[in-house]
C-alpha cells in the first residue's frame, strides 16, 4: 500500500492555489517552453499549449555551415545528401557533441513553435541525462541561453519521466524508472524529490541500430543504412521470442558484387543482432536493484519497474526484464512523450517542483 502524506514534508500540492504560476501583465510577450532534448528526437512543450513539436534531432547544413533546415526535413535528407549539403546530429549519447550545431537546432526548433512573431523565450526547462558531467550540463545551459532563453532550468531525465507518468515524486516511497532513449538508458530510484540511486548507461536506440547494421554486414554481406536499421528495429525487433515470429523484406547493397539487393529477414535475425545490447540494459537494471536500499526495494516490489522512452516499445522487453528480475514491469502510456510531459509539468508548476530542478 502506498501511504499518502498529509504535508509532503512542507512541499505544497501542485493543485494548491498558492502554487499556481502568477500571471503578469506582460505574459503575452513570452513563450515559456520545456524541452526534451533527445539524441534521436527533440520534443517541445509550450506553457498552456501542451506538446507543440516532436521532430528528429538533426540539422542540415550547407557548405558554409549555415543551417538549411532542421527536424523532419533534415531527416529526409539524411544519408542522401550531396557535397554541398551535410546532415549533422548534434547530440551523441544523450549529450551535446557539436555545440554550435546544437545551438542552431534549438533556435530552429523554437522558431517553429513561436505562437506570436513578437514573443521571446523567458523560461526554459530542459531535461538532461542523470549521469552527465558539470561541463556537459554547462554546455546545455549555454546552448539554451545563446538560443534566447532568459532563465534556464535543468532536470534529470528519469525525474521528468516519473513526473510525466503521474508519480508523486515528493512521496517517501521508492519508484524505479527505466528511461530508454536514443543515446542513453537512464535507470533511477526516486523518493522524496530526489534520486536515491542512478545509473546512466550510454547505450540506447542508436546502439541497437548500429548492432543491426553490423549484423547484416557480417552475416549477410548486406550493407544497410541507419534509416533501414531503424525500420527493422521498430517493425520486427524484439528482446525475447515472439508468439508468432515476424518477417519483412529489406534492401541494401551487396558487399560481394556491389549491386543493390533485397533480402528476406525475420524477427529472429533482428533479435540476434541486438541481443548483446539488450542484455547489457537488463544487467544494468539488475545491478541498480542490487544497489537500492532495502526499504525502497520493498516499495519497488509493490510498484514494479516503470519503462519509458522509445526503447520501451521494443517488443517483449518488459517480458524479458520481468523474467530476469521477478518484478512487475509496466510500460508507460505513450512512453515516447513521458519525459517531455514531465518537463512540461515542471514548467507549469515551477515552485512546486523547485526541489527537482537545478
Amino acid at each position: 500500500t502506498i501511504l499518502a502524506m498529509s504535508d509532503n514534508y512542507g512541499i505544497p500540492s501542485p493543485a494548491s492555489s498558492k502554487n499556481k504560476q502568477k500571471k503578469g501583465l506582460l505574459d503575452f510577450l513570452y513563450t515559456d517552453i520545456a524541452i526534451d532534448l533527445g539524441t534521436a528526437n527533440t520534443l517541445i512543450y509550450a506553457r498552456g499549449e501542451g506538446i507543440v513539436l516532436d521532430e528528429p534531432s538533426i540539422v542540415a547544413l550547407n557548405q558554409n555551415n549555415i543551417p538549411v533546415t532542421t527536424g523532419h526535413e533534415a531527416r529526409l535528407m539524411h544519408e542522401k545528401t550531396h557535397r554541398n549539403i551535410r546532415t549533422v546530429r548534434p547530440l551523441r549519447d544523450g549529450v551535446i557533441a557539436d555545440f554550435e550545431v546544437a545551438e542552431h537546432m534549438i533556435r530552429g526548433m523554437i522558431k517553429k513553435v513561436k505562437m506570436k512573431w513578437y514573443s521571446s523565450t523567458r523560461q526554459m526547462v530542459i531535461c538532461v541525462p542523470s549521469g552527465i558531467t558539470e561541463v556537459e550540463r554547462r554546455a546545455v545551459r549555454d546552448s539554451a541561453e545563446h538560443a534566447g532563453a532568459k532563465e534556464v532550468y535543468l532536470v534529470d531525465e528519469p525525474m521528468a519521466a516519473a513526473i510525466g507518468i503521474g508519480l508523486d515524486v515528493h512521496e517517501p516511497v521508492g519508484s524505479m524508472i527505466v528511461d530508454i532513449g536514443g543515446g542513453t538508458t537512464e535507470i533511477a530510484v526516486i523518493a522524496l524529490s530526489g534520486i536515491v540511486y542512478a545509473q546512466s548507461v550510454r547505450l540506447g536506440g542508436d546502439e541497437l541500430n548500429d548492432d543491426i547494421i553490423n549484423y547484416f554486414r557480417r552475416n549477410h554481406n548486406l550493407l544497410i543504412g541507419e534509416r533501414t536499421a531503424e525500420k527493422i528495429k521498430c517493425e520486427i525487433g524484439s528482446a525475447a521470442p515472439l508468439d508468432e515470429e515476424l518477417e519483412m523484406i529489406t534492401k541494401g547493397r551487396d558487399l560481394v558484387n556491389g549491386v543493390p539487393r533485397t533480402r528476406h529477414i525475420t524477427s529472429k535475425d533482428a533479435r540476434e543482432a541486438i541481443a548483446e545490447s539488450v542484455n547489457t540494459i537488463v544487467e544494468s537494471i539488475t545491478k541498480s536493484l542490487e544497489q537500492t536500499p532495502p526499504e525502497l526495494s520493498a516499495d519497488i516490489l509493490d510498484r514494479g519497474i516503470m519503462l519509458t522512452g522509445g526503447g520501451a516499445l521494443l517488443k517483449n522487453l518488459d517480458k524479458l526484464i520481468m523474467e530476469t528480475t521477478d518484478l512487475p514491469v509496466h510500460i508507460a502510456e505513450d512512453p515516447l512523450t513521458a519525459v517531455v510531459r514531465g518537463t512540461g509539468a515542471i514548467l507549469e508548476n515551477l515552485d512546486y517542483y523547485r526541489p527537482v530542478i537545478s
Side-chain angles (χ1 to χ4, degrees), residues 34-38 41-45 50-51 53-54 125-128 155-167 169 176-181 186 190 306-313 330-347 353:
I35 303 181
D36 173 10
L37 196 62
N41 294 289
T42 294
L43 292 89
I44 296 183
Y45 177 107
I51 299 170
L53 181 135
D54 179 359
V125 182
I126 304 179
C127 60
V128 293
V155 59
D156 290 329
E157 277 178 18
M159 182 66 75
I163 294 168
I165 62 177
L167 297 180
V169 295
M176 176 173 263
I177 304 293
V178 180
D179 180 61
I180 307 169
E186 300 287 317
I190 291 169
M306 317 292 178
L307 294 185
T308 65
L313 297 173
H330 311 288
I331 300 174
E333 186 179 346
D334 196 4
L336 285 163
T337 64
V339 171
V340 76
R341 281 186 278 123
T343 315
I346 293 169
L347 177 71
Y353 288 114

Short mmCIF file of all heavy atoms in Angstrom, two decimals, residues 34-38 41-45 50-51 53-54 125-128 155-167 169 176-181 186 190 306-313 330-347 353:
data_model
loop_
_atom_site.label_atom_id
_atom_site.label_comp_id
_atom_site.label_asym_id
_atom_site.label_seq_id
_atom_site.Cartn_x
_atom_site.Cartn_y
_atom_site.Cartn_z
N ALA A 34 9.33 23.96 -22.42
CA ALA A 34 10.06 22.85 -21.83
C ALA A 34 10.55 21.96 -22.96
O ALA A 34 9.80 21.71 -23.91
CB ALA A 34 9.15 22.05 -20.88
N ILE A 35 11.80 21.52 -22.89
CA ILE A 35 12.40 20.76 -23.99
C ILE A 35 12.93 19.42 -23.51
O ILE A 35 13.67 19.34 -22.52
CB ILE A 35 13.54 21.54 -24.66
CG1 ILE A 35 13.06 22.90 -25.17
CG2 ILE A 35 14.16 20.74 -25.79
CD1 ILE A 35 14.14 23.71 -25.87
N ASP A 36 12.54 18.37 -24.23
CA ASP A 36 13.19 17.06 -24.09
C ASP A 36 14.20 16.99 -25.23
O ASP A 36 13.86 16.66 -26.36
CB ASP A 36 12.15 15.94 -24.19
CG ASP A 36 12.80 14.55 -24.23
OD1 ASP A 36 14.02 14.46 -23.99
OD2 ASP A 36 12.08 13.57 -24.53
N LEU A 37 15.44 17.37 -24.92
CA LEU A 37 16.50 17.44 -25.93
C LEU A 37 17.11 16.06 -26.07
O LEU A 37 18.08 15.71 -25.37
CB LEU A 37 17.53 18.48 -25.48
CG LEU A 37 18.53 19.00 -26.52
CD1 LEU A 37 17.82 19.71 -27.66
CD2 LEU A 37 19.52 19.94 -25.85
N GLY A 38 16.54 15.24 -26.95
CA GLY A 38 16.96 13.86 -27.07
C GLY A 38 17.96 13.62 -28.18
O GLY A 38 18.07 14.41 -29.12
N ASN A 41 15.22 12.35 -30.95
CA ASN A 41 14.13 13.30 -31.20
C ASN A 41 14.12 14.41 -30.17
O ASN A 41 14.48 14.19 -29.00
CB ASN A 41 12.77 12.57 -31.15
CG ASN A 41 12.61 11.58 -32.28
OD1 ASN A 41 12.45 11.96 -33.43
ND2 ASN A 41 12.67 10.30 -31.96
N THR A 42 13.69 15.58 -30.60
CA THR A 42 13.51 16.72 -29.69
C THR A 42 12.02 17.03 -29.61
O THR A 42 11.36 17.16 -30.64
CB THR A 42 14.27 17.96 -30.19
OG1 THR A 42 15.68 17.68 -30.12
CG2 THR A 42 13.96 19.18 -29.34
N LEU A 43 11.50 17.09 -28.37
CA LEU A 43 10.09 17.42 -28.17
C LEU A 43 10.01 18.71 -27.36
O LEU A 43 10.80 18.93 -26.45
CB LEU A 43 9.37 16.30 -27.41
CG LEU A 43 9.20 14.98 -28.17
CD1 LEU A 43 10.39 14.05 -27.94
CD2 LEU A 43 7.93 14.26 -27.71
N ILE A 44 9.06 19.57 -27.73
CA ILE A 44 8.90 20.84 -27.04
C ILE A 44 7.46 21.00 -26.54
O ILE A 44 6.51 20.70 -27.25
CB ILE A 44 9.25 22.03 -27.98
CG1 ILE A 44 10.73 21.97 -28.36
CG2 ILE A 44 8.93 23.36 -27.31
CD1 ILE A 44 11.20 23.12 -29.23
N TYR A 45 7.37 21.42 -25.29
CA TYR A 45 6.10 21.69 -24.62
C TYR A 45 6.04 23.20 -24.37
O TYR A 45 6.98 23.78 -23.83
CB TYR A 45 6.05 20.92 -23.30
CG TYR A 45 4.83 21.13 -22.44
CD1 TYR A 45 3.86 20.15 -22.32
CD2 TYR A 45 4.67 22.31 -21.69
CE1 TYR A 45 2.75 20.33 -21.50
CE2 TYR A 45 3.56 22.49 -20.88
CZ TYR A 45 2.61 21.50 -20.79
OH TYR A 45 1.52 21.68 -19.98
N GLY A 50 0.62 22.68 -24.31
CA GLY A 50 0.92 21.26 -24.39
C GLY A 50 2.10 21.00 -25.32
O GLY A 50 2.90 21.90 -25.61
N ILE A 51 2.19 19.77 -25.83
CA ILE A 51 3.31 19.40 -26.72
C ILE A 51 3.04 20.02 -28.10
O ILE A 51 2.04 19.73 -28.73
CB ILE A 51 3.44 17.87 -26.84
CG1 ILE A 51 3.73 17.26 -25.45
CG2 ILE A 51 4.57 17.50 -27.81
CD1 ILE A 51 3.65 15.75 -25.40
N LEU A 53 5.74 20.37 -30.52
CA LEU A 53 6.71 19.95 -31.54
C LEU A 53 7.32 18.60 -31.16
O LEU A 53 7.64 18.36 -30.00
CB LEU A 53 7.81 21.00 -31.68
CG LEU A 53 8.89 20.72 -32.74
CD1 LEU A 53 9.19 21.97 -33.57
CD2 LEU A 53 10.19 20.24 -32.08
N ASP A 54 7.45 17.73 -32.14
CA ASP A 54 8.11 16.43 -31.98
C ASP A 54 8.83 16.14 -33.28
O ASP A 54 8.23 15.68 -34.25
CB ASP A 54 7.07 15.35 -31.65
CG ASP A 54 7.69 13.96 -31.49
OD1 ASP A 54 8.92 13.85 -31.66
OD2 ASP A 54 6.94 13.00 -31.23
N VAL A 125 12.82 24.98 -19.50
CA VAL A 125 13.20 23.82 -18.68
C VAL A 125 13.68 22.74 -19.65
O VAL A 125 12.98 22.39 -20.59
CB VAL A 125 12.00 23.29 -17.85
CG1 VAL A 125 12.45 22.13 -16.98
CG2 VAL A 125 11.40 24.40 -16.99
N ILE A 126 14.89 22.24 -19.43
CA ILE A 126 15.46 21.22 -20.31
C ILE A 126 15.84 20.00 -19.48
O ILE A 126 16.42 20.12 -18.39
CB ILE A 126 16.73 21.75 -21.03
CG1 ILE A 126 16.42 23.03 -21.80
CG2 ILE A 126 17.30 20.69 -21.96
CD1 ILE A 126 17.62 23.61 -22.51
N CYS A 127 15.52 18.81 -19.98
CA CYS A 127 15.91 17.60 -19.26
C CYS A 127 17.25 17.09 -19.81
O CYS A 127 17.53 17.22 -21.00
CB CYS A 127 14.85 16.53 -19.33
SG CYS A 127 14.46 16.02 -20.98
N VAL A 128 18.07 16.55 -18.92
CA VAL A 128 19.40 16.05 -19.27
C VAL A 128 19.60 14.68 -18.63
O VAL A 128 18.97 14.36 -17.63
CB VAL A 128 20.50 17.02 -18.76
CG1 VAL A 128 20.44 18.34 -19.50
CG2 VAL A 128 20.40 17.25 -17.25
N VAL A 155 16.64 19.55 -15.48
CA VAL A 155 16.06 18.47 -14.67
C VAL A 155 16.56 17.14 -15.21
O VAL A 155 16.75 16.97 -16.42
CB VAL A 155 14.50 18.52 -14.69
CG1 VAL A 155 13.97 18.40 -16.11
CG2 VAL A 155 13.89 17.44 -13.81
N ASP A 156 16.82 16.19 -14.32
CA ASP A 156 17.29 14.87 -14.75
C ASP A 156 16.17 14.12 -15.46
O ASP A 156 15.01 14.14 -15.02
CB ASP A 156 17.77 14.05 -13.54
CG ASP A 156 19.07 14.61 -12.95
OD1 ASP A 156 19.87 15.16 -13.72
OD2 ASP A 156 19.27 14.49 -11.73
N GLU A 157 16.54 13.42 -16.54
CA GLU A 157 15.54 12.72 -17.36
C GLU A 157 14.67 11.75 -16.57
O GLU A 157 13.45 11.75 -16.74
CB GLU A 157 16.23 12.00 -18.52
CG GLU A 157 16.50 12.92 -19.70
CD GLU A 157 17.23 12.21 -20.82
OE1 GLU A 157 17.22 10.96 -20.86
OE2 GLU A 157 17.82 12.90 -21.66
N PRO A 158 15.25 10.87 -15.72
CA PRO A 158 14.37 9.94 -15.00
C PRO A 158 13.37 10.63 -14.10
O PRO A 158 12.24 10.17 -13.93
CB PRO A 158 15.33 9.05 -14.20
CG PRO A 158 16.68 9.64 -14.35
CD PRO A 158 16.67 10.61 -15.46
N MET A 159 13.77 11.78 -13.51
CA MET A 159 12.84 12.54 -12.66
C MET A 159 11.69 13.09 -13.51
O MET A 159 10.51 13.01 -13.13
CB MET A 159 13.60 13.68 -11.98
CG MET A 159 12.75 14.50 -11.03
SD MET A 159 12.18 13.56 -9.59
CE MET A 159 13.69 13.49 -8.61
N ALA A 160 12.03 13.64 -14.68
CA ALA A 160 11.00 14.16 -15.58
C ALA A 160 10.08 13.04 -16.04
O ALA A 160 8.86 13.21 -16.13
CB ALA A 160 11.65 14.84 -16.79
N ALA A 161 10.65 11.87 -16.33
CA ALA A 161 9.84 10.72 -16.77
C ALA A 161 8.88 10.29 -15.67
O ALA A 161 7.70 9.99 -15.94
CB ALA A 161 10.76 9.56 -17.17
N ALA A 162 9.35 10.27 -14.43
CA ALA A 162 8.50 9.88 -13.29
C ALA A 162 7.32 10.84 -13.16
O ALA A 162 6.17 10.42 -12.96
CB ALA A 162 9.32 9.84 -12.01
N ILE A 163 7.60 12.13 -13.26
CA ILE A 163 6.53 13.14 -13.17
C ILE A 163 5.58 12.99 -14.36
O ILE A 163 4.36 13.09 -14.23
CB ILE A 163 7.14 14.56 -13.13
CG1 ILE A 163 7.93 14.73 -11.82
CG2 ILE A 163 6.06 15.63 -13.24
CD1 ILE A 163 8.82 15.97 -11.78
N GLY A 164 6.15 12.71 -15.55
CA GLY A 164 5.34 12.57 -16.76
C GLY A 164 4.36 11.42 -16.73
O GLY A 164 3.30 11.48 -17.35
N ILE A 165 4.70 10.35 -16.00
CA ILE A 165 3.77 9.20 -15.94
C ILE A 165 2.85 9.30 -14.72
O ILE A 165 2.10 8.36 -14.42
CB ILE A 165 4.52 7.85 -15.95
CG1 ILE A 165 5.43 7.69 -14.73
CG2 ILE A 165 5.31 7.69 -17.23
CD1 ILE A 165 6.13 6.34 -14.66
N GLY A 166 2.91 10.44 -14.01
CA GLY A 166 1.93 10.69 -12.95
C GLY A 166 2.35 10.30 -11.55
O GLY A 166 1.52 10.29 -10.64
N LEU A 167 3.63 9.97 -11.33
CA LEU A 167 4.06 9.62 -9.98
C LEU A 167 4.25 10.88 -9.14
O LEU A 167 4.68 11.92 -9.65
CB LEU A 167 5.39 8.85 -10.02
CG LEU A 167 5.39 7.50 -10.74
CD1 LEU A 167 6.78 6.89 -10.67
CD2 LEU A 167 4.37 6.54 -10.12
N VAL A 169 6.55 12.44 -7.00
CA VAL A 169 7.96 12.23 -6.66
C VAL A 169 8.31 12.75 -5.27
O VAL A 169 9.41 12.49 -4.77
CB VAL A 169 8.88 12.88 -7.72
CG1 VAL A 169 8.70 12.21 -9.07
CG2 VAL A 169 8.63 14.38 -7.83
N MET A 176 11.12 2.94 -9.27
CA MET A 176 12.22 2.72 -10.21
C MET A 176 11.76 3.08 -11.61
O MET A 176 10.76 2.55 -12.11
CB MET A 176 12.73 1.28 -10.18
CG MET A 176 13.81 1.04 -11.23
SD MET A 176 14.60 -0.58 -11.13
CE MET A 176 16.06 -0.19 -10.18
N ILE A 177 12.50 3.97 -12.25
CA ILE A 177 12.22 4.41 -13.62
C ILE A 177 13.34 3.94 -14.52
O ILE A 177 14.52 4.12 -14.20
CB ILE A 177 12.14 5.96 -13.69
CG1 ILE A 177 11.10 6.50 -12.70
CG2 ILE A 177 11.82 6.41 -15.11
CD1 ILE A 177 9.68 6.15 -13.02
N VAL A 178 13.00 3.34 -15.65
CA VAL A 178 13.99 3.00 -16.67
C VAL A 178 13.57 3.72 -17.95
O VAL A 178 12.56 3.38 -18.56
CB VAL A 178 14.06 1.47 -16.91
CG1 VAL A 178 15.10 1.15 -17.98
CG2 VAL A 178 14.40 0.74 -15.61
N ASP A 179 14.34 4.75 -18.31
CA ASP A 179 14.04 5.55 -19.50
C ASP A 179 15.05 5.19 -20.59
O ASP A 179 16.23 5.52 -20.48
CB ASP A 179 14.10 7.04 -19.16
CG ASP A 179 13.80 7.91 -20.37
OD1 ASP A 179 12.69 7.81 -20.91
OD2 ASP A 179 14.68 8.69 -20.78
N ILE A 180 14.58 4.51 -21.63
CA ILE A 180 15.47 4.06 -22.71
C ILE A 180 15.30 4.99 -23.91
O ILE A 180 14.29 4.94 -24.61
CB ILE A 180 15.15 2.59 -23.11
CG1 ILE A 180 15.16 1.70 -21.86
CG2 ILE A 180 16.17 2.10 -24.14
CD1 ILE A 180 14.60 0.31 -22.09
N GLY A 181 16.28 5.86 -24.10
CA GLY A 181 16.21 6.83 -25.18
C GLY A 181 17.07 6.43 -26.37
O GLY A 181 17.50 5.28 -26.49
N GLU A 186 18.53 5.51 -18.92
CA GLU A 186 18.58 6.10 -17.58
C GLU A 186 17.81 5.20 -16.61
O GLU A 186 16.63 4.94 -16.80
CB GLU A 186 17.92 7.48 -17.59
CG GLU A 186 18.55 8.48 -18.52
CD GLU A 186 19.87 8.98 -18.01
OE1 GLU A 186 19.98 9.28 -16.81
OE2 GLU A 186 20.80 9.06 -18.82
N ILE A 190 13.78 6.74 -7.31
CA ILE A 190 13.38 8.09 -6.89
C ILE A 190 12.54 8.03 -5.62
O ILE A 190 11.67 7.17 -5.49
CB ILE A 190 12.58 8.76 -8.03
CG1 ILE A 190 13.51 9.04 -9.21
CG2 ILE A 190 11.91 10.04 -7.57
CD1 ILE A 190 12.79 9.44 -10.47
N MET A 306 9.00 0.92 -13.90
CA MET A 306 8.30 1.71 -14.92
C MET A 306 9.21 1.93 -16.12
O MET A 306 10.33 2.45 -15.96
CB MET A 306 7.89 3.07 -14.35
CG MET A 306 7.32 3.06 -12.95
SD MET A 306 5.71 2.26 -12.87
CE MET A 306 5.37 2.36 -11.11
N LEU A 307 8.78 1.54 -17.30
CA LEU A 307 9.56 1.74 -18.53
C LEU A 307 9.04 2.93 -19.30
O LEU A 307 7.84 3.04 -19.56
CB LEU A 307 9.48 0.50 -19.43
CG LEU A 307 10.10 -0.81 -18.94
CD1 LEU A 307 10.00 -1.87 -20.04
CD2 LEU A 307 11.54 -0.63 -18.52
N THR A 308 9.95 3.84 -19.67
CA THR A 308 9.58 4.97 -20.52
C THR A 308 10.61 5.10 -21.63
O THR A 308 11.61 4.37 -21.67
CB THR A 308 9.53 6.29 -19.71
OG1 THR A 308 10.85 6.60 -19.24
CG2 THR A 308 8.59 6.19 -18.53
N GLY A 309 10.38 6.05 -22.55
CA GLY A 309 11.30 6.26 -23.67
C GLY A 309 10.95 5.35 -24.84
O GLY A 309 10.22 4.36 -24.69
N GLY A 310 11.51 5.68 -26.00
CA GLY A 310 11.21 4.90 -27.21
C GLY A 310 11.60 3.45 -27.10
O GLY A 310 10.94 2.57 -27.67
N GLY A 311 12.67 3.15 -26.34
CA GLY A 311 13.12 1.77 -26.19
C GLY A 311 12.12 0.88 -25.48
O GLY A 311 12.15 -0.34 -25.61
N ALA A 312 11.20 1.50 -24.72
CA ALA A 312 10.17 0.73 -24.01
C ALA A 312 9.23 0.03 -24.99
O ALA A 312 8.54 -0.93 -24.62
CB ALA A 312 9.38 1.64 -23.08
N LEU A 313 9.20 0.52 -26.24
CA LEU A 313 8.31 -0.05 -27.25
C LEU A 313 8.90 -1.28 -27.94
O LEU A 313 8.23 -1.91 -28.75
CB LEU A 313 7.98 1.01 -28.32
CG LEU A 313 7.22 2.25 -27.80
CD1 LEU A 313 7.11 3.30 -28.90
CD2 LEU A 313 5.84 1.86 -27.30
N HIS A 330 5.95 -2.27 -15.89
CA HIS A 330 4.86 -1.52 -16.52
C HIS A 330 5.43 -0.60 -17.60
O HIS A 330 6.39 0.12 -17.35
CB HIS A 330 4.12 -0.67 -15.49
CG HIS A 330 3.73 -1.43 -14.25
ND1 HIS A 330 2.73 -2.37 -14.24
CD2 HIS A 330 4.23 -1.39 -12.99
CE1 HIS A 330 2.62 -2.89 -13.02
NE2 HIS A 330 3.52 -2.31 -12.25
N ILE A 331 4.83 -0.63 -18.78
CA ILE A 331 5.20 0.30 -19.84
C ILE A 331 4.30 1.52 -19.73
O ILE A 331 3.08 1.39 -19.67
CB ILE A 331 5.07 -0.35 -21.23
CG1 ILE A 331 5.98 -1.57 -21.33
CG2 ILE A 331 5.40 0.65 -22.33
CD1 ILE A 331 5.81 -2.37 -22.61
N ALA A 332 4.90 2.70 -19.69
CA ALA A 332 4.13 3.94 -19.57
C ALA A 332 3.20 4.12 -20.76
O ALA A 332 3.50 3.67 -21.87
CB ALA A 332 5.06 5.14 -19.46
N GLU A 333 2.08 4.77 -20.50
CA GLU A 333 1.20 5.14 -21.60
C GLU A 333 1.92 6.21 -22.42
O GLU A 333 2.39 7.20 -21.89
CB GLU A 333 -0.11 5.70 -21.04
CG GLU A 333 -1.15 5.99 -22.10
CD GLU A 333 -2.45 6.53 -21.51
OE1 GLU A 333 -2.65 6.43 -20.29
OE2 GLU A 333 -3.26 7.05 -22.28
N ASP A 334 2.01 5.99 -23.72
CA ASP A 334 2.75 6.88 -24.62
C ASP A 334 4.16 7.16 -24.07
O ASP A 334 4.50 8.29 -23.70
CB ASP A 334 1.99 8.20 -24.82
CG ASP A 334 2.52 8.99 -26.02
OD1 ASP A 334 3.40 8.47 -26.73
OD2 ASP A 334 2.07 10.13 -26.23
N PRO A 335 5.01 6.11 -24.02
CA PRO A 335 6.35 6.27 -23.41
C PRO A 335 7.24 7.28 -24.11
O PRO A 335 8.13 7.87 -23.50
CB PRO A 335 6.94 4.86 -23.51
CG PRO A 335 6.17 4.17 -24.59
CD PRO A 335 4.79 4.74 -24.52
N LEU A 336 7.01 7.53 -25.41
CA LEU A 336 7.84 8.48 -26.16
C LEU A 336 7.72 9.91 -25.64
O LEU A 336 8.66 10.69 -25.76
CB LEU A 336 7.47 8.44 -27.65
CG LEU A 336 7.96 7.22 -28.44
CD1 LEU A 336 7.21 7.10 -29.75
CD2 LEU A 336 9.45 7.32 -28.71
N THR A 337 6.56 10.26 -25.08
CA THR A 337 6.35 11.64 -24.63
C THR A 337 6.38 11.79 -23.10
O THR A 337 6.13 12.88 -22.59
CB THR A 337 5.00 12.18 -25.15
OG1 THR A 337 3.93 11.42 -24.57
CG2 THR A 337 4.91 12.10 -26.67
N ALA A 338 6.68 10.70 -22.39
CA ALA A 338 6.65 10.76 -20.92
C ALA A 338 7.59 11.84 -20.37
O ALA A 338 7.22 12.61 -19.48
CB ALA A 338 7.01 9.40 -20.32
N VAL A 339 8.81 11.91 -20.92
CA VAL A 339 9.79 12.87 -20.40
C VAL A 339 9.36 14.31 -20.66
O VAL A 339 9.43 15.16 -19.78
CB VAL A 339 11.19 12.59 -21.00
CG1 VAL A 339 12.16 13.70 -20.63
CG2 VAL A 339 11.73 11.26 -20.51
N VAL A 340 8.90 14.59 -21.88
CA VAL A 340 8.51 15.98 -22.17
C VAL A 340 7.23 16.37 -21.41
O VAL A 340 7.07 17.52 -21.02
CB VAL A 340 8.35 16.22 -23.70
CG1 VAL A 340 7.05 15.63 -24.24
CG2 VAL A 340 8.42 17.71 -24.02
N ARG A 341 6.34 15.41 -21.17
CA ARG A 341 5.15 15.71 -20.37
C ARG A 341 5.55 16.08 -18.94
O ARG A 341 4.99 17.00 -18.33
CB ARG A 341 4.18 14.53 -20.37
CG ARG A 341 3.35 14.44 -21.65
CD ARG A 341 2.29 13.35 -21.59
NE ARG A 341 2.84 12.04 -21.90
CZ ARG A 341 2.78 10.99 -21.10
NH1 ARG A 341 2.20 11.08 -19.92
NH2 ARG A 341 3.30 9.83 -21.46
N GLY A 342 6.53 15.34 -18.40
CA GLY A 342 7.02 15.65 -17.06
C GLY A 342 7.74 16.99 -17.02
O GLY A 342 7.56 17.78 -16.08
N THR A 343 8.54 17.27 -18.05
CA THR A 343 9.25 18.55 -18.11
C THR A 343 8.25 19.69 -18.23
O THR A 343 8.44 20.77 -17.64
CB THR A 343 10.22 18.56 -19.32
OG1 THR A 343 10.94 17.32 -19.36
CG2 THR A 343 11.23 19.68 -19.21
N GLY A 344 7.17 19.46 -18.98
CA GLY A 344 6.11 20.46 -19.11
C GLY A 344 5.39 20.70 -17.80
O GLY A 344 5.06 21.84 -17.45
N ALA A 345 5.17 19.62 -17.03
CA ALA A 345 4.52 19.76 -15.72
C ALA A 345 5.38 20.61 -14.78
O ALA A 345 4.88 21.42 -14.00
CB ALA A 345 4.27 18.38 -15.11
N ILE A 346 6.71 20.42 -14.88
CA ILE A 346 7.62 21.22 -14.06
C ILE A 346 7.52 22.70 -14.46
O ILE A 346 7.48 23.59 -13.61
CB ILE A 346 9.07 20.71 -14.22
CG1 ILE A 346 9.20 19.30 -13.60
CG2 ILE A 346 10.07 21.66 -13.56
CD1 ILE A 346 10.49 18.59 -13.92
N LEU A 347 7.47 22.97 -15.77
CA LEU A 347 7.35 24.34 -16.27
C LEU A 347 6.08 25.00 -15.76
O LEU A 347 6.08 26.17 -15.36
CB LEU A 347 7.37 24.33 -17.80
CG LEU A 347 7.17 25.69 -18.50
CD1 LEU A 347 8.40 26.56 -18.31
CD2 LEU A 347 6.88 25.49 -19.99
N TYR A 353 7.87 22.16 -8.01
CA TYR A 353 8.93 21.24 -8.41
C TYR A 353 10.33 21.83 -8.23
O TYR A 353 11.30 21.28 -8.75
CB TYR A 353 8.73 20.78 -9.85
CG TYR A 353 7.57 19.83 -10.01
CD1 TYR A 353 6.43 20.18 -10.74
CD2 TYR A 353 7.59 18.57 -9.41
CE1 TYR A 353 5.36 19.31 -10.87
CE2 TYR A 353 6.52 17.69 -9.53
CZ TYR A 353 5.42 18.06 -10.26
OH TYR A 353 4.35 17.20 -10.39
#
